[in-house]
Amino acid sequence: MRDFRITTHVCLIARALGANTVILSDIIDKEVEKVIKRVIEMWGGPFSIEMGVPWEDAVNKWKTEGGIVCHLTMYGENIETSDVMSRIKEEKKDIMVIVGAEKVEKKVYHLANFNVSIGNQPHSECGALAIFLDRYFKGESLSKDFENARLRIIPQPHGKKVIKIE
Amino acid sequence: MRDFRITTHVCLIARALGANTVILSDIIDKEVEKVIKRVIEMWGGPFSIEMGVPWEDAVNKWKTEGGIVCHLTMYGENIETSDVMSRIKEEKKDIMVIVGAEKVEKKVYHLANFNVSIGNQPHSECGALAIFLDRYFKGESLSKDFENARLRIIPQPHGKKVIKIE
């Protein structure tokens, strides 16, 4: 069972935290696509969503083209206590991050160049993805300007302020 | 509409990233409680879950007892570009973090001592909570040993290794 809300959260986190693209493997979910496209339209990009690509094809293509694959899993090397993040950065390559909402196939653990745990406790692919990207980009994504945004927030200590960009 | 899966993710993130307790305000959700209690039983604590407390009562009680309240919202002070995290830490007080899955009442913005944005882009309360706690605890939670755990993961570069603790 795929959960619409969780998939949407994963996509929104990916966009807000600095990813360029999200691939929903094996499925086509028009509802998620609609939400994400609406967010891009209002809040800017660049960001894209692909759907229905078999995960193994996507992974193999990525690796063939010179990218590396990081799989986030509670069983992997601990992002805090191991040197896994330094080793990922040393590669200086484009990164595909895999998060598996549901049961992840064993093969993923072997095809991935790095299996990274965001703590070795059960939690959430949303939380794991957010922390991975925040640490990878050293927080830079949290201040980036999105292109072609129609709305922008002016941060406030109390209350909400949104401006429309004409 | 409250989403069972998102609420569960929020609770699991809270536990894995260093919170002591989660309060589900205004609702009683036995399914979420069951999942979380099972996780505590298998993976350890201390962690507790409270339910059905009206949010305003919980906030007022917390503040009366000397704690501060941080509300995570895309409209708040940016955790990356402002000094809000330093100001929170300077308080040296116990913190209640509010994340609102659904529409958050305007009052929250004023009752909260700090409104903190994890980037001023729409994303996810799961992602926001994870990053807030990771930064607040400077990643320490990701290596902490949970008490009374029956299972423990031995991190692996590829594959899964779990040990049972007798």
Side-chain angles (χ1 to χ4, degrees), chain A residues 113-147:
Chain A
N113 302 91
F114 299 96
N115 290 280
V116 184
S117 73
I118 314 300
N120 300 106
Q121 290 290 323
H123 62 102
S124 152
E125 60 270 29
C126 298
L129 180 63
I131 291 176
F132 181 86
L133 293 175
D134 188 43
R135 288 185 173 215
Y136 182 78
F137 290 118
K138 292 182 181 163
E140 279 171 23
S141 315
L142 296 180
S143 58
K144 92 169 184 189
D145 273 329
F146 284 78
E147 294 166 21

Side-chain angles (χ1 to χ4, degrees), chain A residues 9 15 109 115 121 124 157-158, chain B residues 9 15 109 121 124 157-158:
Chain A
H9 280 234
R15 176 187 167 278
Y109 289 82
N115 290 280
Q121 290 290 323
S124 152
H158 298 277
Chain B
H9 280 235
R15 174 185 169 279
Y109 289 81
Q121 291 288 324
S124 152
H158 299 277

Side-chain angles (χ1 to χ4, degrees), chain B residues 17-30:
Chain B
L17 273 297
N20 296 323
T21 301
V22 68
I23 303 173
L24 307 189
S25 72
D26 298 306
I27 59 151
I28 291 178
D29 188 325
K30 289 288 175 194

